[in-house]
Every structure is written in C-alpha cells, then in structure tokens.
Amino acid sequence: MQRRELLKGVGAGGTAGLAAIALANPLLARAAQQQDNASGRAFGEFLETLRDLEAAFLQPHWRLRTADDFAGARRMLLHTLIHALQTWFEADPARPFFVSFVDRHKKMLGDNPDARYHQTVINSAHRYRIFGNLAAATYTSFTVEMGVGDESPGLGTSINDTEFETDADGNYEIIASAEKVEGNWLQLPDGAVSIVSRHYYEREHSIQNDQLHCIPLGIENLSAAGPRVAVNDEQIAAGIHRINEFLRRNVRALDNSTSPVWVSRVPNRFVPPKVDDSNEAIGYAARDNTYAMAPFALQPGQALVMRGRWPDCRFANVVLFDQFLQTFDYETRTISLNRRQTALEPDGSFRITLAHSNPGTPNWLDTEGRSFGIIFWRFQLVKGNIEPLRTEVITL
C-alpha cells in the first residue's frame, strides 16, 4: 500500500482506521496504551485548553470581527504560551532561574520598549539570594507575585533600588525569605509563587532595541537542593498543568466592568492620573507606578494631539498597545516616547501627536495605520501631582 493511500484511509476511517493500523502494528498499539499515564492525560488537557481558548475568541466579549482581529488574538495566545513554556513548564522553586518576561518578539500583559522584565518561580518555604548589577538602569525593583494572572490576590511585597544597598559599581545582593534578615531583604509571604524584576531605562535608544545591553541577574536557593531527579512522568505532567493554568489565567479579554479607575472608557480621553494604591490588587502591576490608559479611535486623515507636562518622577513614558495589550512594532516605528525622547515646548510642556502618517511635527506616535488601539502612560515614583492630559482630535 502506498503511503498516500494509507493516510487517505486514516482520514476516511477516523478512529476505526487508526484502530486497524494499531492492530496491524504492535508498536503503535503499545504506544496507544502508554498514553494512559499522567503526562499523556495532562497533554490531552493542554490540547483541550487550546481548543477552549480558540472557541472563546468567537464569544462576543472578545469583540473580534475581522480576520486580522482573530490573527492578533492567536498571536497573543502563542506569545503567552512561549512564556509559559520558558518559565512554568520546568519551574522548580528549589532551583529557581530568571527568564526574560517580554522582548521584541514575546509581547504580553502590557509590555514596554523602555524596560526589561524577568520572572522566576519560587516558594516561601525556601530562602534565596538574588544577586546582580543595576547595569545603569533608571530604576530597578523586585516584586513578589501571589498568583499567576489577573485573578491573583494581587501583589505581595516589593523592593526598589531606593530601598536596597549597592556597592560603588552597582552590584547588589538581596535575601528573599519568609523570615526577616539584616541588610537587603525581600519578604516572601505565605503563598508567594514568583518574583518579577523590573529594569526601566530612559534613553534615546529604547532598551528593548539594544541587543548588546546585558543586565546581570541571578538567583540561588540558600539551602542545598541536591541533584535533580531524572525526568519522569509525574514531573512532566505537573509542568503541563502549570502551562495550562498560566494560559487560562492570562489569555483573557479586556473587561471594562472590572477595569481599574485609571482606565478611561471614552475614546481619545484620559481619566486624570492619580497617585494611589490602585495597583495593589492587580497581578503583574508595578506598585511604584501610576497609570493612565484610554482607547484611541481615529478615522483616515485624523490625528490625536495630547498635551501635558511630565511630572517630577523617576521614570515616565507613553506606549501604544493593540486590544490584546501587546505593543505595536517598536523595532521599525516610533510607537512610544519616554522623557528623554520627547521634544518639549518652550514652556516645558509636551505636545505629542498620534497619527497614521508623519504630521511633520515633533513627537509623532505611529499608529501603523490602525484605526483603533490603546494609549498607555506610566509615571513612576511620582512626587506631587500629575497634570491632567489634554486631548484634541484634529484633521491633518
């Protein structure tokens, strides 16, 4: 029998065809029997998770209408899967390791061209030593996460570079543990699941576009964990279950009914930014940040002019997202501006223009020709108040 005819028979016969092949081939029959194990069942659940998420994209709350909308949703799902595989599949709190959270080709949960993020899975039963170098960052911090997504109990503890000591070269060591220690200490509350590091930069050249810049960062368990056991069925099954949980908790549509107070529901207008503790209840938010977010909606030939004044703070920028909280292409376009990149007016204020094509004025944010998207502002460790952001839709 030719291979093409065999495959054609499988397609026509379905399960019966597969059963016939299995009966004819003892090796295939044995392989089918061996799927009845922990990792085989977990992998089946993983495939079911992918099917469920794909089916969910058809639901009204996702608001997907065009082929490009669905393609964007699938891209976000796959980027989230990349991080789940890198961080959660072989996660071992006894032997932690930091993984890059986002980069130019792994975008999720509101990434940032002006920052590098890392994540490691931990458990408060252990004591860890975090070590590294500030690497000339504008800001560095470590945040303990209490869950794996936006349904988590919120943030745990955090520490930034104003709260831990470094040597003259920017080197540091931080002990992360449940019990307090002298010196640089990051408390691990009961139920802590991971630590996220943040390294913000205000530079002319966005840090995510600098392929040569290295941020030294490591972590080790202070208790001897011993050698790893050989890979086994239960271990792989547990890793697949962690992937499933991360996907189900982070591949989610934006929900206006439960969005924070700093999210505007009116296109092209912002809620006045307010320095408060509203980030405390949001998984993967930054405690030291103040946010402002609004959708933009522009017709061909229109532009959105945003006026304001950068506050006295450690770091600030504005970024464009799609509806899946993935940044637009910052490798080849200008879709974000930090204070260093912004040309100011004579009075010290800024005028930033969001448009489909270059308006011929400074501070152009490129929409990539999209008629809809999200504008996201970050203001970090703000001193005083933030001037309200004024907006105006104009015709070019």
Side-chain angles (χ1 to χ4, degrees), residues 152-175:
S152 75
L155 303 180
T157 56
S158 67
I159 187 172
N160 65 47
D161 56 56
T162 69
E163 300 166 325
F164 62 83
E165 297 292 330
T166 67
D167 67 16
D169 296 320
N171 299 306
Y172 58 83
E173 290 189 1
I174 301 170
I175 301 302

Side-chain angles (χ1 to χ4, degrees), residues 188-300:
L188 298 183
D190 186 38
V193 299
S194 72
I195 297 173
V196 173
S197 73
R198 290 175 170 82
H199 314 263
Y200 286 68
Y201 289 80
E202 277 193 340
R203 309 193 317 179
E204 292 282 355
H205 188 60
S206 293
I207 191 64
Q208 285 285 15
N209 283 329
D210 187 346
Q211 299 183 54
L212 297 180
H213 187 82
C214 176
I215 301 176
L217 180 64
I219 183 171
E220 65 175 358
N221 189 349
L222 290 175
S223 302
R228 290 186 176 88
V229 300
V231 174
N232 58 57
D233 182 46
E234 289 76 16
Q235 185 184 79
I236 298 304
I240 297 172
H241 287 311
R242 289 191 295 268
I243 292 173
N244 276 344
E245 183 177 12
F246 189 81
L247 289 178
R248 290 187 178 277
R249 290 184 179 273
N250 290 284
V251 180
R252 301 169 61 84
L254 295 180
D255 185 354
N256 287 338
S257 65
T258 59
S259 58
V261 295
W262 40 264
V263 175
S264 170
R265 294 168 176 77
V266 181
N268 306 325
R269 292 186 185 177
F270 293 95
V271 175
K274 182 181 178 182
V275 180
D276 58 20
D277 61 355
S278 59
N279 298 344
E280 299 288 331
I282 305 172
Y284 299 131
R287 177 173 278 112
D288 293 330
N289 283 0
T290 298
Y291 299 123
M293 173 174 151
F296 73 81
L298 297 173
Q299 298 298 321

Side-chain angles (χ1 to χ4, degrees), residues 267-389:
N268 306 325
R269 292 186 185 177
F270 293 95
V271 175
K274 182 181 178 182
V275 180
D276 58 20
D277 61 355
S278 59
N279 298 344
E280 299 288 331
I282 305 172
Y284 299 131
R287 177 173 278 112
D288 293 330
N289 283 0
T290 298
Y291 299 123
M293 173 174 151
F296 73 81
L298 297 173
Q299 298 298 321
Q302 290 185 329
L304 177 67
V305 176
M306 301 181 290
R307 292 182 173 88
R309 194 178 299 272
W310 294 117
D312 181 4
C313 60
R314 176 71 77 88
F315 169 92
N317 77 346
V318 58
V319 181
L320 300 185
F321 294 148
D322 62 19
Q323 66 264 47
F324 311 110
L325 297 183
Q326 293 181 294
T327 50
F328 291 1
D329 173 27
Y330 52 76
E331 289 183 82
T332 62
R333 299 174 185 265
T334 301
I335 60 86
S336 68
L337 288 169
N338 60 47
R339 291 182 298 181
R340 183 83 175 272
Q341 298 165 332
T342 306
L344 299 180
E345 301 290 295
D347 65 355
S349 66
F350 59 72
R351 181 182 188 271
I352 296 173
T353 303
L354 184 70
H356 303 322
S357 58
N358 192 338
T361 58
N363 306 328
W364 169 43
L365 290 180
D366 188 347
T367 67
E368 298 183 331
R370 300 171 187 250
S371 60
F372 172 81
I374 293 170
I375 312 167
F376 193 84
W377 298 79
R378 291 177 176 89
F379 308 99
Q380 189 176 82
L381 291 175
V382 177
K383 297 178 181 178
N385 296 320
I386 303 172
E387 183 176 301
L389 297 161

Side-chain angles (χ1 to χ4, degrees), residues 29-64:
R30 192 176 307 131
Q33 293 173 357
Q34 291 176 352
Q35 291 308 303
D36 187 21
N37 51 44
S39 59
R41 291 188 294 273
F43 197 81
E45 293 171 11
F46 165 65
L47 296 178
E48 189 65 28
T49 294
L50 295 180
R51 285 190 288 267
D52 289 346
L53 292 173
E54 170 69 14
F57 293 153
L58 298 171
Q59 299 303 311
H61 66 279
W62 274 94
R63 299 183 293 277
L64 306 181

